Amino acid sequence: MSENAMDKLRAYLVALPRRKKRLIQVCTDVFVVWAALWLAFVVRLGIDELVNPVRLHLWLFIAAPVVAIPLFIRFGMYRAVMRYFGNDALIAIIKAVSLSSLILGVVVYWYSNHQNVVPRSIIFNYWWLSLIMVGGLRLGMRQYFLGDWFSAAQHVPFTNREDGLPRVAIYGAGAAGNQLVAALRMGRVMRPVAFIDDDSSISDRVISGLQVYKPKHIQRMIDTTGAQEILLAIPSSNRGRRREILGFLEGFPLHVRSVPGFMDLASGRVKVDDIQEVDIADLLGRDTVPAQHELLERCIKGQNVMVTGAGGSIGSELCRQILTLGPTSLLLFEHSEFNLYSILCELEERINRESLPVKVLPILGSVRNPSKLLDVMKAWRVSTVYHAAAYKHVPMVEHNIAEGVLNNVIGTLNTAQAALQAGVANFVLISTDKAVRPTNVMGSTKRLAELTLQALSREIAPVLFGDKSNVSRVNKTRFTMVRFGNVLGSSGSVIPLFHKQIKSGGPVTVTHPKITRYFMTIPEAAQLVIQAGSMGLGGDVFVLDMGEPVKIVELAEKMIHLSGLSVRSDRNPHGDITVEFSGLRPGEKLYEELLIGDNVVATQHPMIMSANEDHLGWDLLKGKLSELLAALDQDDYSRVRQLLRDTVSGYSPDGEIVDLIFQQRRLEP
């Protein structure tokens, strides 16, 4: 029968109604039982002396299926799906066949007569033959319905065949690796050809029909199997260990991908066969420090919490984590309708799935609208505000200075003053390492936002900026700031850009060969922000431990290698993808810092430090803000730059002003 006809028959059988499938199975098992019983006589008496057992012991051939089939039904053998036939089904077969053989033995003992004696060994032969035939038939049908008779027979001579599927090796021969092999064979998108495992006790063994190789024998595995990819099936390994493995695999011409991490599998968000590109966090090798639950809950549990910029990279992750910490309500404040809709749908789905007693409120609004902010905080009696709304893309803000200042500085001012007026207990600003000795408008505006909160926090009863009534307001709000570097996968991050460039065949563009950046995962950053926001007395600048800075060009080269490609260079002119240097963009620094001074103290959390930074008085700062707004009204960007220089310590912009409006007006006659 041709392979096409086999596929059609397979599809026809799979599409049959369940009742017909069970009827076919029952009829087949009746014939298998008869065949096993007949062969039991053959084994006992031999073919030469065999008298037709059916004619001589007809009653036994009637009794065998009458005893066996009800037991097969009782043990659920007809409820098992052939394509997912596993160990549990095999155990059920052993139990059912053993019990049916025992009962048949009792029947033989009571009903056989002296003229037609049934040899006792017949029952034993019937038992083991039934096990082999009933179980073997089901194993054979499982392979048939999987569509690959030879997937588990890699080492059987003459069974190898070319099916056109990409050949992959699985790193990790544990439970996740074996589940992945089963899923790949079922899906028939990739062909697993080998295991790689560090455990020397299973090296050179065969598991699930695949040879297990030691890591030092990977090249031999490639030569033998023709593997093109390696899939990491080590979800429980820590990041340090994964980084070691990735560093080792980088030297082989293999595309490296992985199954999800342990926590993603345990939470049910993904399955073991959801293959993904290597997590860049694994290349950094940073293991997260367990959270301190008391710090996580202190400003959230049983309270009304508001997140500005709730649809952004950090804001949305803050919302996800806050949702699980037991707030009474969660207010999503966002000016982008699409971003707000996206995070709202995600959170509502999770609330319904996990039956969380949290009210989520989507609020469209801008931090540039102080009256809207005040109305929202008062109406919902907000206790904690996480202020993540900001423009953060350095070149974009350089080209749009006014919007950067209004959103990052005035937006923070509006939100903070609304919180003070509404009696909000806790206010946490999400800041950035670019606020330290900035060379760009984005960094300087974020530092000015920090200075605003520092100044405001030191006032017991300040007169708010822009308050013409000159009325002092009692300050009951604890303002804190959390400063950290780049987060992996955020909008504007280089990582998605590198993935896209590698997928399209290059080149991969890096701004400068010496440029470095700090990196942290979004979930880790959000978790630390929540914990840091629970500490301090007010006016504190907390700095997250970002580990060691990473050279961007080395990160790009690692991503190219782990995609199974090579870097084209002078030393390797026949490589696959080139790395090109485009030059620093407007306002971009070669390296980032986390501290303005050296005065830093530890906190109760090992990953969070407290920095003692210079600050300005509230009245002085209000004067600077007034001058800044006046300069913006006049589109005097030279004055804006000078005011930022005078106010922000260490601000030293590089190059000319590249604001698009400023440049256009200079060209006008």
Side-chain angles (χ1 to χ4, degrees), residues 96-221:
V97 169
S98 299
L99 186 57
S100 66
S101 300
L102 183 62
I103 294 173
L104 189 63
V106 173
V107 171
V108 168
Y109 175 78
W110 284 105
Y111 288 97
S112 62
N113 53 49
H114 294 291
Q115 286 76 25
N116 293 317
V117 175
V118 177
R120 294 177 183 176
S121 59
I122 292 296
I123 299 302
F124 175 74
N125 291 339
Y126 168 73
W127 171 73
W128 66 262
L129 284 165
S130 294
L131 281 179
I132 293 173
M133 296 176 72
V134 173
L137 175 65
R138 280 162 170 75
L139 287 172
M141 293 308 294
R142 179 184 71 174
Q143 292 304 114
Y144 171 70
F145 284 117
L146 283 174
D148 188 357
W149 287 96
F150 307 108
S151 63
Q154 179 178 314
H155 303 284
V156 178
F158 311 114
T159 60
N160 289 329
R161 62 172 185 161
E162 184 56 53
D163 50 16
L165 299 178
R167 292 171 171 260
V168 298
I170 314 297
Y171 200 114
N178 278 274
Q179 290 179 50
L180 182 58
V181 167
L184 293 176
R185 286 171 173 166
M186 181 71 64
R188 302 196 70 199
V189 177
M190 299 178 180
R191 182 177 178 83
V193 294
F195 276 119
I196 304 164
D197 203 282
D198 303 313
D199 187 352
S200 58
S201 65
I202 60 173
S203 62
D204 298 324
R205 304 280 293 275
V206 174
I207 297 177
S208 295
L210 303 179
Q211 177 83 31
V212 182
Y213 291 86
K214 293 180 181 178
K216 65 181 181 180
H217 296 149
I218 287 181
Q219 189 59 55
R220 189 179 77 190
M221 179 274 296

Side-chain angles (χ1 to χ4, degrees), residues 10 33 45 117 121 160 171 196 298 420 500 515 608 620:
R10 186 186 305 116
V33 166
L45 302 175
V117 175
S121 59
N160 289 329
Y171 200 114
I196 304 164
R298 185 176 294 170
L420 188 149
K500 183 178 179 181
I515 194 167
I608 302 172
L620 175 60

Side-chain angles (χ1 to χ4, degrees), residues 221-243:
M221 179 274 296
I222 295 172
D223 297 337
T224 303
T225 65
Q228 302 157 288
E229 291 191 30
I230 286 186
L231 305 181
L232 299 182
I234 45 175
S236 59
S237 295
N238 60 41
R239 286 213 173 104
R241 177 59 186 142
R242 293 171 77 91
R243 183 184 185 182

Side-chain angles (χ1 to χ4, degrees), residues 660-669:
L660 297 176
I661 295 176
F662 178 80
Q663 288 184 321
Q664 181 62 27
R665 289 192 173 172
R666 280 204 310 179
L667 295 174
E668 292 176 355

